Amino acid sequence: WAGMVFVVSFSSCLDVAAISMDMGESLDTNNELMTVGISNFVSGLAGGFTGSYIFSQTIFTYRTNCRSRWIGVIVAFTFILVVISPVNFLEVT
């Protein structure tokens, strides 16, 4: 349990630092990590898994000048469709 907390905390710190470096802007690290912590706490209460930033999505949307929050909604909707789909996307044919 403690190991998982350490790994998620450490990786979240690295994600925030990497995003800040790529953007060339200073981020409010405390606010970013508090958001991740609260999300992980609520996820744990609901029986979910811990999580962190989707680093590649953040960098991709920043580099393509997408500033809309709809990107996150589209990604979440796509993930839900993949999870509830009867198709096994990992199956190798």
Side-chain angles (χ1 to χ4, degrees), residues 4-46:
M4 185 172 65
V5 169
F6 175 76
V7 168
V8 171
S9 300
F10 186 69
S11 66
S12 294
C13 291
L14 290 178
D15 285 346
V16 171
I19 291 168
S20 178
M21 286 175 52
D22 192 74
M23 292 173 61
E25 299 175 10
S26 180
L27 296 176
D28 184 359
T29 306
N30 287 333
N31 185 42
E32 299 294 328
L33 294 176
M34 187 170 48
T35 302
V36 172
I38 291 170
S39 299
N40 284 332
F41 181 76
V42 171
S43 176
L45 290 177

Side-chain angles (χ1 to χ4, degrees), residues 22-93:
D22 192 74
M23 292 173 61
E25 299 175 10
S26 180
L27 296 176
D28 184 359
T29 306
N30 287 333
N31 185 42
E32 299 294 328
L33 294 176
M34 187 170 48
T35 302
V36 172
I38 291 170
S39 299
N40 284 332
F41 181 76
V42 171
S43 176
L45 290 177
F49 294 101
T50 61
S52 186
Y53 292 95
I54 302 176
F55 177 71
S56 58
Q57 179 200 350
T58 303
I59 298 301
F60 176 77
T61 55
Y62 180 77
R63 289 181 180 175
T64 57
N65 286 329
C66 294
R67 299 291 187 258
S68 174
R69 294 188 183 262
W70 281 103
I71 297 297
V73 173
I74 292 168
V75 169
F77 183 71
T78 304
F79 284 161
I80 290 169
L81 286 178
V82 168
V83 169
I84 65 173
S85 172
V87 177
N88 184 356
F89 292 99
L90 300 177
E91 185 178 70
V92 179
T93 57

